[in-house]
Amino acid sequence: MVENNYFEELNKVDCNDKIEKKNGMSYLSWAYAWGEVKKRHPDANYTIYENKDGWNYFTDGHTGWVKTGVTVNGIEHIEYLPIMDYKNKSIPTEVITSFDVNKTIQRSLTKACARHGLGLYIYAGEDLPEDNSGANEIKNEVKAEKAKATRELNKKVAEYNKSDEGLEMRYKNMYVLIRGMKQIDQYNKDKVLMGKVSDLLNELYEAQKTEAYEALNKLVNEKMLKTEPDEIPADICEKGEFLQAG
């Protein structure tokens, strides 16, 4: 075990009465942090790194960050910190001010001191993913409710489609749809529609809606033969009694 472990020494310093709260985050004053380090290690020093142009911050053209280092007992710990606004969101490069940079440098140096042990516990957990369990639980509940509502709606639609009123509506809609096809061979190319028509014809037959069955079947055969019926029957266009079995 290393004797006189300076990290343990700094890590034992109680900083609780110096912690400041802002926007839900905990901060330690740079002046206090540096003072505590220097009291115990007078030879400690810090470095504010500059880019190739001599600026005291770095940028990728979109946002910026600072790089600082604190050396204690000959050991340097470096801290990179993005330049952020009061909401802790990165500030776009074009609006970064010298005040923003200076404030970020102070915060970065404080965190570099924490890497040596001073107030490190203050930052515990800040690099962990946010706990979204509550939000995820709500999302799952909403998703389950939507799924339940969808199932109930589908059930009601299925029940309506099987009723006389629903069957009548589907028959009329299908007749008008197919009758309105103007492009040659359009019906023959629509395999999905052909399947739906086949199902509807079976339902009409089983419900003994003979006249409706024959009218739709005739129209389908005409479309398959690429011929055009004269006109849509009046009982399809106008509201009236559903075609009954003959």
Side-chain angles (χ1 to χ4, degrees):
M1 180 176 179
V2 179
E3 295 183 1
N4 299 322
N5 187 324
Y6 84 92
F7 179 90
E8 289 186 359
E9 173 198 4
L10 291 174
N11 194 236
K12 290 178 180 178
V13 177
D14 185 357
C15 305
N16 288 339
D17 60 342
K18 301 297 181 180
I19 296 176
E20 300 176 8
K21 296 283 187 178
K22 188 175 182 181
N23 295 325
M25 303 290 288
S26 298
Y27 297 93
L28 195 61
S29 163
W30 152 245
Y32 168 78
W34 186 238
E36 290 299 313
V37 170
K38 290 293 283 186
K39 280 194 301 184
R40 293 166 174 77
H41 301 277
D43 60 342
N45 62 79
Y46 66 85
T47 303
I48 299 173
Y49 288 89
E50 299 177 344
N51 69 4
K52 59 183 179 61
D53 297 316
W55 298 358
N56 56 354
Y57 73 97
F58 301 80
T59 178
D60 57 3
H62 301 287
T63 58
W65 65 92
V66 302
K67 175 184 178 182
T68 64
V70 170
T71 302
V72 179
N73 279 5
I75 300 174
E76 181 184 33
H77 284 309
I78 292 177
E79 180 70 29
Y80 294 87
L81 193 66
I83 301 173
M84 300 179 287
D85 59 18
Y86 70 97
K87 294 182 179 179
N88 291 317
K89 301 295 183 181
S90 293
I91 300 176
T93 302
E94 59 270 18
V95 294
I96 290 176
T97 67
S98 58
F99 177 79
D100 298 323
V101 175
N102 182 63
K103 181 174 61 177
T104 304
I105 287 174
Q106 292 178 357
R107 291 177 59 190
S108 179
L109 287 169
T110 303
K111 295 188 74 172
C113 288
R115 290 183 181 274
H116 288 284
L118 183 70
L120 182 61
Y121 65 90
I122 296 174
Y123 303 98
E126 74 167 17
D127 56 344
L128 298 178
E130 293 183 5
D131 182 7
N132 292 321
S133 57
N136 289 334
E137 184 176 346
I138 294 175
K139 288 181 180 179
N140 290 335
E141 290 178 358
V142 172
K143 186 176 180 180
E145 287 297 325
K146 287 184 177 180
K148 180 180 179 181
T150 300
R151 289 194 299 270
E152 292 177 351
L153 178 60
N154 290 338
K155 182 179 179 181
K156 291 180 179 179
V157 170
E159 292 174 351
Y160 174 79
N161 285 339
K162 292 180 180 179
S163 67
D164 279 350
E165 181 182 354
L167 188 56
E168 176 184 3
M169 182 64 67
R170 290 161 56 211
Y171 161 68
K172 290 183 177 181
N173 289 341
M174 186 65 75
Y175 195 102
V176 172
L177 173 64
I178 297 175
R179 177 61 182 79
M181 291 181 172
K182 299 298 183 182
Q183 186 176 348
I184 297 299
D185 207 26
Q186 183 177 353
Y187 175 78
N188 295 339
K189 293 179 179 179
D190 195 334
K191 303 302 181 183
V192 175
L193 179 61
M194 292 177 70
K196 291 182 178 180
V197 170
S198 177
D199 291 340
L200 181 56
L201 284 171
N202 288 334
E203 291 182 55
L204 290 171
Y205 182 82
E206 292 176 358
Q208 297 184 347
K209 306 297 183 181
T210 307
E211 190 174 350
Y213 170 84
E214 291 178 350
L216 182 59
N217 192 47
K218 178 183 178 182
L219 177 63
V220 169
N221 288 331
E222 289 172 342
K223 284 295 179 181
M224 293 181 70
L225 294 173
K226 305 177 185 179
T227 61
E228 295 291 339
D230 295 333
E231 60 183 9
I232 300 176
D235 60 338
I236 298 297
C237 298
E238 300 176 1
K239 184 177 180 181
E241 294 296 326
F242 185 36
L243 296 176
Q244 300 297 319

